[in-house]
Amino acid sequence: MTGESGGLLGRLRIEGPTMPEALAKIAEMILSDPETAAHASIVDLAERSGTSTATVTRFSRTLGFKGYANLRVAIATETGRAEQARWETDISGDIAPDDPLDGVLDVITAADTRAIQATAAGLDVAAVERVAAAIATAGRVEIFGLGSSGTAGREMAFRLERIRVPVWYRSDTHTALTNAALLGPGDVAIGLSHSGRTREAIETLAEAADHGALTVAVTSFGRSPLAEVADVVFTTSVHETTFRVAALSALHSQLLVLDLIYVAVAQRTYERTAEALELTVRAVDAHRVPEATTNRKRPRKG
Protein backbone atom coordinates (compact mmCIF):
# COMPACT_ATOMS: atom_id res chain seq x y z
CA MET A 1 0.00 0.00 0.00
CA THR A 2 1.42 3.38 -0.95
CA GLY A 3 0.81 7.03 -0.37
CA GLU A 4 -0.16 6.87 3.30
CA SER A 5 1.86 9.82 4.48
CA GLY A 6 -0.07 13.03 4.95
CA GLY A 7 1.12 16.43 6.13
CA LEU A 8 2.68 15.19 9.36
CA LEU A 9 1.32 17.69 11.89
CA GLY A 10 -2.12 17.62 10.29
CA ARG A 11 -2.04 13.85 10.36
CA LEU A 12 -1.11 13.84 14.05
CA ARG A 13 -4.04 16.15 14.85
CA ILE A 14 -6.40 13.73 13.16
CA GLU A 15 -4.91 10.33 14.06
CA GLY A 16 -3.18 11.12 17.36
CA PRO A 17 -6.30 10.78 19.56
CA THR A 18 -7.07 7.37 18.00
CA MET A 19 -3.61 5.92 18.64
CA PRO A 20 -2.75 3.62 21.57
CA GLU A 21 -2.21 5.60 24.79
CA ALA A 22 1.60 5.65 24.71
CA LEU A 23 1.74 6.70 21.08
CA ALA A 24 -0.98 9.28 21.64
CA LYS A 25 1.19 10.87 24.36
CA ILE A 26 4.03 11.33 21.88
CA ALA A 27 1.70 12.82 19.29
CA GLU A 28 0.28 15.21 21.89
CA MET A 29 3.75 16.29 22.98
CA ILE A 30 4.86 16.97 19.38
CA LEU A 31 1.73 18.98 18.63
CA SER A 32 2.05 21.01 21.84
CA ASP A 33 5.55 22.22 20.87
CA PRO A 34 6.63 21.14 17.35
CA GLU A 35 9.70 23.40 17.31
CA THR A 36 11.11 21.81 20.47
CA ALA A 37 10.30 18.32 19.18
CA ALA A 38 12.11 19.08 15.93
CA HIS A 39 15.36 19.58 17.86
CA ALA A 40 14.88 17.00 20.61
CA SER A 41 16.88 13.80 20.81
CA ILE A 42 15.02 10.51 21.03
CA VAL A 43 15.80 10.38 24.75
CA ASP A 44 14.47 13.94 25.26
CA LEU A 45 11.24 13.17 23.39
CA ALA A 46 10.72 9.98 25.36
CA GLU A 47 11.21 11.81 28.67
CA ARG A 48 9.00 14.74 27.70
CA SER A 49 6.17 12.42 26.64
CA GLY A 50 6.57 10.05 29.59
CA THR A 51 7.34 7.08 27.36
CA SER A 52 10.45 5.15 26.31
CA THR A 53 12.89 5.36 23.40
CA ALA A 54 11.50 2.06 22.11
CA THR A 55 8.02 3.59 22.07
CA VAL A 56 9.30 6.63 20.17
CA THR A 57 10.85 4.31 17.60
CA ARG A 58 7.57 2.39 17.30
CA PHE A 59 5.72 5.69 16.95
CA SER A 60 8.04 6.73 14.10
CA ARG A 61 7.56 3.45 12.26
CA THR A 62 3.79 3.57 12.76
CA LEU A 63 3.82 6.84 10.82
CA GLY A 64 5.83 5.24 8.02
CA PHE A 65 9.32 6.52 8.92
CA LYS A 66 12.38 4.26 9.09
CA GLY A 67 13.31 5.70 12.46
CA TYR A 68 13.21 8.72 14.73
CA ALA A 69 15.82 10.66 12.75
CA ASN A 70 13.52 10.69 9.71
CA LEU A 71 10.57 11.70 11.86
CA ARG A 72 12.52 14.61 13.35
CA VAL A 73 13.48 15.88 9.89
CA ALA A 74 9.81 15.78 8.86
CA ILE A 75 8.79 17.75 11.97
CA ALA A 76 11.50 20.33 11.33
CA THR A 77 10.42 20.72 7.71
CA GLU A 78 6.80 21.31 8.63
CA THR A 79 7.50 23.66 11.52
CA GLY A 80 9.66 25.78 9.21
CA ARG A 81 6.89 25.92 6.65
CA ALA A 82 4.27 26.79 9.28
CA GLU A 83 6.44 29.53 10.74
CA GLN A 84 6.93 31.05 7.32
CA ALA A 85 3.20 31.09 6.62
CA ARG A 86 2.36 32.20 10.19
CA TRP A 87 -0.69 29.96 10.07
CA GLU A 88 -0.76 28.94 13.68
CA THR A 89 -0.33 32.40 15.22
CA ASP A 90 -2.20 34.75 12.93
CA ILE A 91 -5.66 33.31 12.52
CA SER A 92 -7.67 30.78 14.51
CA GLY A 93 -10.58 28.73 13.25
CA ASP A 94 -13.12 30.37 15.54
CA ILE A 95 -16.01 32.31 14.00
CA ALA A 96 -18.48 34.18 16.21
CA PRO A 97 -22.07 34.90 15.09
CA ASP A 98 -21.36 38.64 14.91
CA ASP A 99 -17.93 38.50 13.25
CA PRO A 100 -17.65 40.76 10.16
CA LEU A 101 -17.50 38.89 6.87
CA ASP A 102 -14.05 40.21 5.96
CA GLY A 103 -12.71 38.52 9.10
CA VAL A 104 -14.65 35.34 8.34
CA LEU A 105 -13.13 35.36 4.86
CA ASP A 106 -9.63 35.47 6.39
CA VAL A 107 -10.42 32.53 8.68
CA ILE A 108 -11.82 30.39 5.87
CA THR A 109 -9.00 31.27 3.49
CA ALA A 110 -6.36 30.46 6.09
CA ALA A 111 -7.99 27.15 7.03
CA ASP A 112 -8.36 25.98 3.44
CA THR A 113 -4.84 27.11 2.56
CA ARG A 114 -3.39 25.23 5.51
CA ALA A 115 -5.29 22.08 4.55
CA ILE A 116 -4.22 22.25 0.91
CA GLN A 117 -0.58 22.94 1.76
CA ALA A 118 -0.47 20.11 4.29
CA THR A 119 -2.06 17.72 1.81
CA ALA A 120 0.40 18.74 -0.90
CA ALA A 121 3.34 18.27 1.47
CA GLY A 122 2.33 14.68 2.09
CA LEU A 123 1.40 13.64 -1.45
CA ASP A 124 3.30 10.66 -2.82
CA VAL A 125 3.98 11.73 -6.41
CA ALA A 126 5.00 8.21 -7.41
CA ALA A 127 1.60 6.98 -6.25
CA VAL A 128 -0.10 9.70 -8.30
CA GLU A 129 1.87 8.57 -11.36
CA ARG A 130 0.85 4.95 -10.74
CA VAL A 131 -2.84 5.81 -10.53
CA ALA A 132 -2.71 8.18 -13.51
CA ALA A 133 -1.01 5.57 -15.68
CA ALA A 134 -3.68 3.03 -14.74
CA ILE A 135 -6.55 5.45 -15.46
CA ALA A 136 -5.06 6.46 -18.81
CA THR A 137 -5.32 2.87 -20.09
CA ALA A 138 -8.24 1.59 -17.99
CA GLY A 139 -11.23 -0.14 -19.54
CA ARG A 140 -13.43 1.24 -16.77
CA VAL A 141 -12.99 3.71 -13.92
CA GLU A 142 -15.56 3.65 -11.11
CA ILE A 143 -15.73 6.47 -8.54
CA PHE A 144 -17.79 6.34 -5.33
CA GLY A 145 -18.37 8.78 -2.48
CA LEU A 146 -21.23 10.11 -0.39
CA GLY A 147 -22.01 13.58 0.95
CA SER A 148 -19.22 16.11 0.45
CA SER A 149 -16.96 13.33 -0.82
CA GLY A 150 -19.56 12.71 -3.51
CA THR A 151 -19.14 16.30 -4.69
CA ALA A 152 -15.44 15.68 -5.28
CA GLY A 153 -16.19 12.34 -6.94
CA ARG A 154 -18.69 13.84 -9.37
CA GLU A 155 -16.24 16.59 -10.33
CA MET A 156 -13.49 14.04 -11.01
CA ALA A 157 -15.81 11.94 -13.14
CA PHE A 158 -16.85 15.01 -15.16
CA ARG A 159 -13.24 15.95 -15.85
CA LEU A 160 -12.14 12.46 -16.87
CA GLU A 161 -15.23 11.90 -18.99
CA ARG A 162 -14.46 15.07 -20.92
CA ILE A 163 -11.07 13.68 -21.98
CA ARG A 164 -12.56 10.36 -23.12
CA VAL A 165 -11.83 8.25 -20.07
CA PRO A 166 -14.56 5.60 -19.59
CA VAL A 167 -15.56 6.73 -16.10
CA TRP A 168 -18.68 6.58 -13.95
CA TYR A 169 -19.52 8.21 -10.65
CA ARG A 170 -21.92 6.17 -8.53
CA SER A 171 -24.01 7.73 -5.77
CA ASP A 172 -26.26 4.72 -5.22
CA THR A 173 -24.72 1.91 -3.17
CA HIS A 174 -26.38 -0.96 -5.03
CA THR A 175 -25.36 0.48 -8.39
CA ALA A 176 -21.82 1.02 -7.11
CA LEU A 177 -21.53 -2.55 -5.81
CA THR A 178 -22.93 -4.20 -8.93
CA ASN A 179 -20.59 -2.23 -11.16
CA ALA A 180 -17.63 -2.84 -8.87
CA ALA A 181 -18.30 -6.55 -9.31
CA LEU A 182 -17.89 -6.12 -13.08
CA LEU A 183 -14.41 -4.60 -12.79
CA GLY A 184 -11.28 -6.59 -13.41
CA PRO A 185 -7.53 -6.31 -13.89
CA GLY A 186 -6.77 -3.13 -15.80
CA ASP A 187 -9.71 -1.27 -14.29
CA VAL A 188 -9.63 1.33 -11.49
CA ALA A 189 -11.94 1.98 -8.52
CA ILE A 190 -11.67 5.20 -6.48
CA GLY A 191 -13.39 5.54 -3.10
CA LEU A 192 -13.64 8.85 -1.24
CA SER A 193 -14.42 9.19 2.45
CA HIS A 194 -13.08 11.78 4.89
CA SER A 195 -13.39 9.43 7.87
CA GLY A 196 -12.44 6.31 5.94
CA ARG A 197 -15.24 4.59 7.85
CA THR A 198 -18.15 5.02 5.45
CA ARG A 199 -19.42 1.45 5.16
CA GLU A 200 -20.70 1.84 1.60
CA ALA A 201 -17.34 3.15 0.32
CA ILE A 202 -15.44 0.36 2.07
CA GLU A 203 -17.72 -2.35 0.64
CA THR A 204 -17.50 -0.92 -2.87
CA LEU A 205 -13.70 -0.73 -2.84
CA ALA A 206 -13.43 -4.21 -1.33
CA GLU A 207 -15.69 -5.61 -4.06
CA ALA A 208 -13.55 -4.01 -6.75
CA ALA A 209 -10.39 -5.37 -5.12
CA ASP A 210 -11.83 -8.90 -5.09
CA HIS A 211 -12.07 -8.78 -8.88
CA GLY A 212 -8.53 -7.49 -9.47
CA ALA A 213 -9.11 -3.77 -10.09
CA LEU A 214 -6.61 -1.21 -8.84
CA THR A 215 -8.25 0.34 -5.78
CA VAL A 216 -7.60 3.91 -4.65
CA ALA A 217 -8.68 5.52 -1.37
CA VAL A 218 -8.83 9.26 -0.71
CA THR A 219 -9.30 9.80 3.02
CA SER A 220 -8.09 11.91 5.94
CA PHE A 221 -7.26 8.78 7.95
CA GLY A 222 -4.36 6.75 6.58
CA ARG A 223 -5.04 3.87 8.98
CA SER A 224 -8.80 3.68 8.39
CA PRO A 225 -10.78 0.63 7.18
CA LEU A 226 -11.09 2.23 3.73
CA ALA A 227 -7.31 2.60 3.54
CA GLU A 228 -6.85 -1.03 4.52
CA VAL A 229 -8.74 -2.32 1.48
CA ALA A 230 -7.00 0.01 -1.00
CA ASP A 231 -3.89 -0.57 -3.09
CA VAL A 232 -3.08 3.15 -3.08
CA VAL A 233 -4.01 5.62 -0.32
CA PHE A 234 -3.94 9.40 -0.58
CA THR A 235 -4.21 11.07 2.81
CA THR A 236 -5.86 14.48 2.89
CA SER A 237 -5.52 17.13 5.57
CA VAL A 238 -8.40 19.15 7.03
CA HIS A 239 -8.62 22.26 9.23
CA GLU A 240 -11.99 22.85 10.78
CA THR A 241 -13.57 26.21 11.46
CA THR A 242 -16.77 27.08 13.25
CA PHE A 243 -19.75 25.90 11.14
CA ARG A 244 -17.43 23.83 8.92
CA VAL A 245 -16.84 20.41 10.47
CA ALA A 246 -14.07 18.16 9.20
CA ALA A 247 -16.14 16.32 6.61
CA LEU A 248 -17.17 19.64 5.03
CA SER A 249 -13.65 21.04 5.25
CA ALA A 250 -12.11 18.04 3.47
CA LEU A 251 -13.49 18.95 0.03
CA HIS A 252 -10.67 21.28 -1.05
CA SER A 253 -7.98 18.77 -0.10
CA GLN A 254 -9.79 15.98 -1.91
CA LEU A 255 -10.09 18.14 -5.03
CA LEU A 256 -6.36 18.90 -4.91
CA VAL A 257 -5.50 15.19 -4.99
CA LEU A 258 -8.01 14.43 -7.73
CA ASP A 259 -6.98 17.46 -9.78
CA LEU A 260 -3.34 16.34 -9.76
CA ILE A 261 -4.37 12.85 -10.87
CA TYR A 262 -6.54 14.33 -13.64
CA VAL A 263 -3.71 16.51 -14.97
CA ALA A 264 -1.32 13.56 -14.84
CA VAL A 265 -3.80 11.51 -16.90
CA ALA A 266 -4.12 14.37 -19.39
CA GLN A 267 -0.33 14.51 -19.73
CA ARG A 268 -0.22 10.83 -20.60
CA THR A 269 -2.99 11.15 -23.18
CA TYR A 270 -1.98 14.53 -24.52
CA GLU A 271 -3.12 14.25 -28.14
CA ARG A 272 -6.40 12.55 -27.26
CA THR A 273 -7.05 15.05 -24.48
CA ALA A 274 -6.28 18.10 -26.62
CA GLU A 275 -8.64 16.89 -29.34
CA ALA A 276 -11.41 16.07 -26.83
CA LEU A 277 -11.17 19.44 -25.09
CA GLU A 278 -11.27 21.27 -28.42
CA LEU A 279 -14.37 19.32 -29.50
CA THR A 280 -16.20 19.85 -26.22
CA VAL A 281 -15.44 23.57 -26.12
CA ARG A 282 -16.76 23.89 -29.66
CA ALA A 283 -19.90 21.90 -28.80
CA VAL A 284 -21.03 24.30 -26.08
CA ASP A 285 -19.67 27.48 -27.62
CA ALA A 286 -23.01 28.36 -29.19
CA HIS A 287 -24.56 28.49 -25.72
CA ARG A 288 -22.17 31.18 -24.50
CA VAL A 289 -23.24 34.81 -24.58
CA PRO A 290 -21.04 36.78 -27.01
CA GLU A 291 -18.40 38.80 -25.16
CA ALA A 292 -19.52 42.15 -26.61
CA THR A 293 -23.06 41.59 -25.28
CA THR A 294 -21.83 41.30 -21.70
CA ASN A 295 -20.62 44.92 -21.77
CA ARG A 296 -24.01 46.40 -22.54
CA LYS A 297 -25.57 48.42 -19.76
CA ARG A 298 -29.12 47.78 -18.74
CA PRO A 299 -31.47 50.62 -19.72
CA ARG A 300 -32.65 52.69 -16.80
CA LYS A 301 -36.31 52.50 -15.90
CA GLY A 302 -38.53 55.54 -15.68
Side-chain angles (χ1 to χ4, degrees):
M1 194 175 294
T2 60
E4 294 191 13
S5 62
L8 179 59
L9 298 181
R11 184 178 174 190
L12 291 182
R13 292 187 189 94
I14 294 172
E15 295 189 21
T18 69
M19 290 180 172
E21 183 178 359
L23 302 188
K25 288 181 178 179
I26 299 174
E28 184 179 358
M29 187 271 145
I30 293 173
L31 289 173
S32 67
D33 192 350
E35 292 185 9
T36 297
H39 298 89
S41 68
I42 189 171
V43 174
D44 291 337
L45 186 60
E47 291 179 351
R48 289 173 179 272
S49 60
T51 60
S52 65
T53 55
T55 303
V56 174
T57 299
R58 181 159 60 95
F59 175 81
S60 304
R61 291 175 178 170
T62 296
L63 292 171
F65 297 98
K66 292 182 179 180
Y68 175 63
N70 301 96
L71 172 66
R72 189 168 64 176
V73 169
I75 297 171
T77 300
E78 288 210 19
T79 53
R81 188 182 300 114
E83 182 179 356
Q84 181 180 4
R86 298 177 61 84
W87 286 340
E88 298 292 347
T89 57
D90 285 355
I91 299 175
S92 73
D94 296 331
I95 300 173
D98 56 351
D99 280 351
L101 280 183
D102 56 351
V104 173
L105 175 60
D106 288 341
V107 171
I108 293 175
T109 301
D112 290 343
T113 300
R114 289 170 59 188
I116 289 172
Q117 291 282 13
T119 300
L123 266 180
D124 184 342
V125 177
V128 173
E129 292 177 343
R130 177 187 177 188
V131 173
I135 291 175
T137 58
R140 292 168 65 99
V141 178
E142 294 281 341
I143 303 176
F144 182 76
L146 297 174
S148 295
S149 294
T151 301
R154 280 189 294 271
E155 176 64 21
M156 182 61 164
F158 170 74
R159 295 186 185 196
L160 291 176
E161 184 178 41
R162 192 167 177 179
I163 60 173
R164 288 183 169 157
V165 172
V167 58
W168 290 266
Y169 164 73
R170 311 291 183 179
S171 58
D172 174 77
T173 304
H174 288 190
T175 304
L177 286 170
T178 54
N179 282 278
L182 297 176
L183 297 177
D187 296 327
V188 179
I190 302 175
L192 297 100
S193 169
H194 158 67
S195 67
R197 297 183 179 278
T198 304
R199 187 181 302 276
E200 295 88 344
I202 297 167
E203 291 176 350
T204 299
L205 224 57
E207 184 69 33
D210 287 344
H211 297 280
L214 177 69
T215 52
V216 182
V218 181
T219 176
S220 298
F221 293 82
R223 296 187 301 149
S224 62
L226 182 68
E228 291 176 1
V229 300
D231 298 309
V232 181
V233 181
F234 295 111
T235 308
T236 54
S237 178
V238 297
H239 288 274
E240 294 181 320
T241 66
T242 308
F243 311 123
R244 300 166 76 235
V245 296
L248 297 177
S249 301
L251 178 60
H252 295 289
S253 297
Q254 291 174 342
L255 288 173
L256 172 70
V257 173
L258 297 177
D259 198 21
L260 183 60
I261 295 173
Y262 161 74
V263 172
V265 172
Q267 287 179 309
R268 284 159 177 75
T269 58
Y270 181 81
E271 292 185 2
R272 185 183 79 188
T273 292
E275 180 190 16
L277 291 177
E278 182 180 351
L279 288 172
T280 54
V281 168
R282 190 185 307 161
V284 299
D285 191 57
H287 293 270
R288 301 181 188 277
V289 177
E291 184 175 351
T293 305
T294 61
N295 295 325
R296 294 178 182 173
K297 295 183 179 180
R298 291 183 179 181
R300 293 182 179 179
K301 296 181 179 179

